[in-house]
């Protein structure tokens, strides 16, 4: 070879030695990638030397090309070997940092459990689902129409007064019962319907041992051809037997705008009568409001307070205990 090829071969050997040293000293994959680009990239040192092949004769080029390929393969081999070692080291470091010492005692986190109001609600719903009812819900912020008018409340009914109902600035209100769920569901569904509606309700009540401004109620109702008050009594009797066992039950005549006839239901519990729900046959005006023909369809509805049932079940003397978040009280259930 002439002096020119000898000079290029010397450059290749120098590049190989420098690359080998630099690659061996690389301490991370990012640095290794920088070296690959510097030595073997399109604008790298090897490419710069290869561009000088044009100055060689046709006989010298093959010899120089073979030497250049050998250097390139050697540098690539060094890169791959170092990459493998660095990847293994990174994986090992990650495993060591994430290793769990199984000999250490675990961190104890006490498990929670259902609040007595939630467990009572679940128990009630389970009974009605077993009777073939479907669970539905209604909005807590309601219009006067769905909360009162469609349920046959007269314009001068006392429940519409500020003393009982919490009105909002836009004219809507916080629902006073879950009966609004009846109207919403019947507007969207044709008979027969059998629905249970749980939810939170709001009234302008003075808070004491038996009253709360925010409370929970469950409504159940059924509409079909040929439903009578006897069907309502049978449903309530089965429900109360599942809830309290074989206890005496009595119905007392009462009045609700959306049912006619209406009744209060009492159970004999711990030697005295306790009121647990109100009920009745759905008033024809309510059926008309949702587009049902009262000459064809009849139905019944009933509503109960979850707090009242929970107080009876667990012999709780003050409704405010449910909302105090006192763990000494809640851990009993």
């Amino acid at each position: 070879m002439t002096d020119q090829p000898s000079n290029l071969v010397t450059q290749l050997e120098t590049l190989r030695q420098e690359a080998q040293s630099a690659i061996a000293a690389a301490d991370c994959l990012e640095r290794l990638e920088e070296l690959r680009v510097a030595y073997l990239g399109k604008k790298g040192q090897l490419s710069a030397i290869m561009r000088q092949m044009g100055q060689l004769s046709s006989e010298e080029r093959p010899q120089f090309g073979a030497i250049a390929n050998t250097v390139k393969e050697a540098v690539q081999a060094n890169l791959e070997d170092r990459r493998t070692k660095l990847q293994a080291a990174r994986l090992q470091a990650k495993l060591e940092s994430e290793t769990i010492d199984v000999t250490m005692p675990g961190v104890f986190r006490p498990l929670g459990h259902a609040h007595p109001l939630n467990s009572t609600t679940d128990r009630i719903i389970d009974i009605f689902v077993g009777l073939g009812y479907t669970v539905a819900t209604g909005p807590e912020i309601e219009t006067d129409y769905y909360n009162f008018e469609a349920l046959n409340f007269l314009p001068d009914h006392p429940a519409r007064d500020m003393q009982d109902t919490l009105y909002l600035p836009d004219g809507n209100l916080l629902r006073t019962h879950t009966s609004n769920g009846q109207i919403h569901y019947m507007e969207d569904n044709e008979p027969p319907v059998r629905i249970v509606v749980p939810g939170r309700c709001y009234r302008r009540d003075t808070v004491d041992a038996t009253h709360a401004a925010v409370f929970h109620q469950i409504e159940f109702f059924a509409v079909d051809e040929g439903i009578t008050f006897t069907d309502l009594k049978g449903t309530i009797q089965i429900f109360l037997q599942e809830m309290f066992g074989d206890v005496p039950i009595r119905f007392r005549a009462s009045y609700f705008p959306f049912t006619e006839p209406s009744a209060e239901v009492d159970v004999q519990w711990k030697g005295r009568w306790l009121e647990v729900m109100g009920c009745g046959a759905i008033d024809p005006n309510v059926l008309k409001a949702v587009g049902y023909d009262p000459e064809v369809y009849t139905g019944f509805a009933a509503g109960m307070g979850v707090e009242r049932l929970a107080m009876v079940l667990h012999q709780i003397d003050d409704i405010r205990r449910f909302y105090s978040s006192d763990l000494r009280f809640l851990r009993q259930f």
Side-chain angles (χ1 to χ4, degrees):
M1 284 190 177
T2 62
D3 291 340
Q4 180 65 18
S6 298
N7 183 44
L8 293 178
V9 171
T10 301
Q11 292 181 45
L12 287 174
E13 180 60 25
T14 301
L15 181 148
R16 185 188 66 79
Q17 294 176 2
E18 290 179 355
Q20 185 177 16
S21 299
I23 291 170
D27 58 356
C28 63
L29 293 172
E30 292 74 17
R31 174 57 180 162
L32 195 65
E33 177 62 17
E34 291 175 0
L35 293 174
R36 185 194 67 79
V37 174
Y39 290 113
L40 303 181
K42 292 182 178 181
K43 297 182 180 180
Q45 296 182 30
L46 182 60
S47 296
I49 297 174
M50 294 294 290
R51 283 194 290 270
Q52 300 180 49
M53 286 181 62
Q55 303 173 13
L56 303 177
S57 64
S58 57
E59 292 82 7
E60 294 170 332
R61 289 175 188 170
Q63 300 176 41
F64 175 75
I67 297 172
N69 286 334
T70 301
V71 171
K72 181 178 181 180
E73 291 172 0
V75 174
Q76 287 178 331
N78 291 335
L79 286 168
E80 289 300 323
D81 181 64
R82 189 58 180 164
R83 180 179 289 107
T84 300
K85 293 179 179 178
L86 289 173
Q87 287 176 337
R90 174 178 286 187
L91 177 60
Q92 183 62 31
K94 185 176 182 180
L95 290 174
E96 291 176 357
S97 67
E98 296 179 356
T99 297
I100 300 174
D101 185 354
V102 296
T103 65
M104 293 179 64
V107 178
F108 174 72
R109 290 183 175 86
L111 296 178
H113 51 81
H115 189 280
L117 293 181
N118 290 338
S119 61
T120 302
T121 298
D122 292 342
R123 182 172 176 178
I124 295 170
I125 290 175
D126 285 345
I127 294 172
F128 280 102
V129 169
L131 294 174
Y133 283 67
T134 299
V135 180
T137 58
E140 294 182 15
I141 296 178
E142 192 56 277
T143 65
D144 180 89
Y145 174 79
Y146 285 100
N147 197 80
F148 292 127
E149 185 177 343
L151 288 166
N152 201 40
F153 282 82
L154 297 176
D156 59 350
H157 194 280
R160 293 175 180 262
D161 294 342
M162 290 293 292
Q163 297 172 349
D164 292 324
T165 303
L166 297 170
Y167 287 93
L168 302 176
D170 61 1
N172 291 326
L173 52 88
L174 296 178
R175 69 178 178 187
T176 58
H177 46 206
T178 53
S179 302
N180 66 326
Q182 286 188 42
I183 306 302
H184 284 287
Y185 191 87
M186 289 191 291
E187 281 185 341
D188 297 332
N189 297 270
E190 292 296 322
V193 295
R194 288 172 176 80
I195 301 300
V196 56
V197 186
R200 187 181 291 109
C201 301
Y202 308 83
R203 291 181 188 172
R204 194 179 177 88
D205 279 335
T206 300
V207 178
D208 56 27
T210 57
H211 296 85
V214 182
F215 59 97
H216 299 78
Q217 192 178 72
I218 293 182
E219 180 101 3
F220 68 91
F221 67 97
V223 177
D224 201 350
E225 296 183 33
I227 287 183
T228 66
F229 199 90
T230 301
D231 298 312
L232 170 62
K233 292 183 67 175
T235 301
I236 291 176
Q237 184 173 10
I238 291 174
F239 165 70
L240 292 177
Q241 285 177 347
E242 290 292 321
M243 200 72 186
F244 298 106
D246 191 11
V247 295
I249 302 170
R250 73 178 183 185
F251 287 76
R252 292 181 290 107
S254 185
Y255 167 76
F256 302 107
F258 38 86
T259 55
E260 180 62 37
S262 305
E264 301 279 2
V265 182
D266 303 330
V267 297
Q268 197 170 67
W269 186 256
K270 303 297 181 181
R272 61 194 182 99
W273 289 102
L274 294 173
E275 177 189 326
V276 292
M277 73 175 73
C279 66
I282 296 178
D283 191 285
N285 289 333
V286 176
L287 298 177
K288 291 177 183 178
V290 297
Y292 290 2
D293 186 349
E295 298 297 326
V296 177
Y297 297 107
T298 53
F300 61 73
M304 66 198 85
V306 177
E307 283 84 350
R308 169 60 64 88
L309 294 181
M311 291 176 73
V312 173
L313 281 174
H314 302 299
Q315 302 183 47
I316 297 171
D317 61 345
D318 194 322
I319 194 174
R320 290 169 290 191
R321 298 188 188 277
F322 289 124
Y323 313 118
S324 65
S325 299
D326 188 336
L327 291 179
R328 296 171 299 176
F329 168 76
L330 295 175
R331 285 189 179 120
Q332 301 177 75
F333 305 100

